[in-house]
Amino acid sequence: MADPHPKSNGIPLAGVIGWPVAHSRSPALHAHWLARYGIRGYYVPMAVQPEHLANVLHTLPQAGFVGANVTIPHKEAVLSLADVVSDRAALIGAANTLTFRPDGRMYADNTDGYGFIANLRQGVPGWRPDAGPAAVIGAGGAARAVVCALLESGAPEIRIANRTRLRAERIRSDFGPRVIVCDWVQAGNMLDGAATVVNATSMGMDGRPDLRVPMDILSAQAVVTDLVYTPLETAFLVKARDRGCEVVDGLGMLLHQAAPGFERWFGQTPEVDNDLRRAVLA
Ligand code: ATR
């Protein structure tokens, strides 16, 4: 069989590019999969300042890199540096997964929405994105990926509330009339009849105030998730569970969003399971 990675002596290299990058859990995640599947490859953290990003990206393939994840603050900038951008990444306005193709072209994709859906499907196997309206709190980059994925998966309506209303309105104008913008101060009202509820803000993260949205009208049938995963159990999820809802923590989204990259670079579909969770939490 021909070596799929001739430039790297058959040892594919990948990594995560951020500034800073020390906090990233991606190296531990990919190292776990590489070891589990016995793949001779490496995944490394790369701290790259914004002014060096273009240079680094153009050089990596020459050093044997087959792809990379990008994280803050580079997720938007890579769109204008890539040769091919997936429709999804273009619509979201950010990419997290780059593939350096054998023909020399750089492909940018966004797998956050895939990770979001895969996490909910794994956490609540009976969850149906098309079962009813979704309520999304927040309108940043992560929220845009969530909205994109929910729409692709058939959610009939997506209600969004954000502190800065303009960002929510931008999502509506980018994603169309299935998106409905709700008032931030009345975010509790949009939970009425919602089948899926998502905290896509950074509220509730360790060191930040909790998200305080009244949950009195939340139905026990709703599936509730939080993109925050430090802590794993946010006050928002605790409140939802107390109302009888099934809840899914945000760590799984991080794990699942990594799978398409691993598969493209290393040629193996990886499994997201409790061993991986433990490895990433360690
Ligand atoms: P990400 O890429 O993780 O989505 P982001 O684009 O900075 O990060 O978005 C952060 C989200 O958390 C936004 O919805 C933000 O609201 P604004 O658009 O009004 O900034 C929300 N957020 C952060 N701090 C908040 C706070 N103290 N109160 C309410 N919302 C907050």
Side-chain angles (χ1 to χ4, degrees):
M1 206 173 93
D3 178 358
H5 305 300
K7 286 189 195 142
S8 54
N9 282 330
I11 303 178
L13 309 178
V16 54
I17 302 172
W19 182 261
V21 82
H23 65 280
S24 173
R25 305 204 183 203
S26 295
L29 199 166
H30 286 273
H32 176 85
W33 279 336
L34 287 167
R36 178 191 294 182
Y37 299 110
I39 294 170
R40 278 180 81 213
Y42 295 92
Y43 184 101
V44 295
M46 291 175 272
V48 176
Q49 295 183 41
E51 61 268 36
H52 296 143
L53 181 66
N55 218 358
V56 168
L57 287 177
H58 287 121
T59 312
L60 282 177
Q62 297 164 24
F65 278 77
V66 291
N69 287 120
V70 281
T71 186
I72 295 163
H74 304 312
K75 290 175 93 166
E76 291 83 20
V78 290
L79 292 183
S80 54
L81 298 170
D83 302 296
V84 185
V85 175
S86 71
D87 290 347
R88 206 182 293 130
L91 201 52
I92 293 166
N96 68 340
T97 305
L98 304 177
T99 307
F100 305 129
R101 293 181 164 168
D103 66 3
R105 297 203 297 170
M106 188 196 330
Y107 171 69
D109 192 13
N110 190 314
T111 66
D112 285 333
Y114 163 82
F116 171 78
I117 298 286
N119 184 37
L120 280 180
R121 286 197 197 284
Q122 187 175 41
V124 182
W127 175 68
R128 298 264 317 270
D130 57 354
V136 177
I137 305 158
R144 291 180 69 91
V146 165
V147 168
C148 185
L150 283 169
L151 288 172
E152 274 179 12
S153 306
E157 175 183 306
I158 301 183
R159 305 163 183 170
I160 303 191
N162 193 51
R163 176 180 62 177
T164 310
R165 190 182 168 104
L166 191 64
R167 289 181 100 184
E169 279 166 359
R170 210 172 292 140
I171 293 185
R172 183 189 154 83
S173 68
D174 289 348
F175 288 89
R178 268 196 283 163
V179 175
I180 293 172
V181 177
C182 302
D183 232 37
W184 176 244
V185 288
Q186 286 168 11
N189 290 347
M190 71 177 185
L191 306 187
D192 192 13
T196 309
V197 178
V198 186
N199 173 31
T201 73
S202 48
M203 306 287 288
M205 204 180 271
D206 285 331
R208 298 204 186 191
D210 288 333
L211 176 65
R212 296 197 187 282
V213 171
M215 290 195 171
D216 328 4
I217 47 176
L218 179 65
S219 147
Q221 313 311 316
V223 170
V224 179
T225 188
D226 200 323
L227 304 198
V228 169
Y229 58 86
T230 51
L232 280 177
E233 200 165 63
T234 59
F236 178 70
L237 290 184
V238 170
K239 259 193 340 193
R241 182 180 292 126
D242 287 349
R243 291 197 57 80
C245 298
E246 295 216 69
V247 305
V248 181
D249 71 51
L251 181 63
M253 175 169 164
L254 172 79
L255 308 182
H256 283 283
Q257 63 77 32
F262 189 87
E263 186 173 339
R264 286 170 206 167
W265 308 323
F266 300 117
Q268 163 84 44
T269 306
E271 208 174 318
V272 173
D273 58 12
N274 279 329
D275 280 353
L276 179 69
R277 275 178 79 90
R278 274 192 292 274
V280 170
L281 289 171

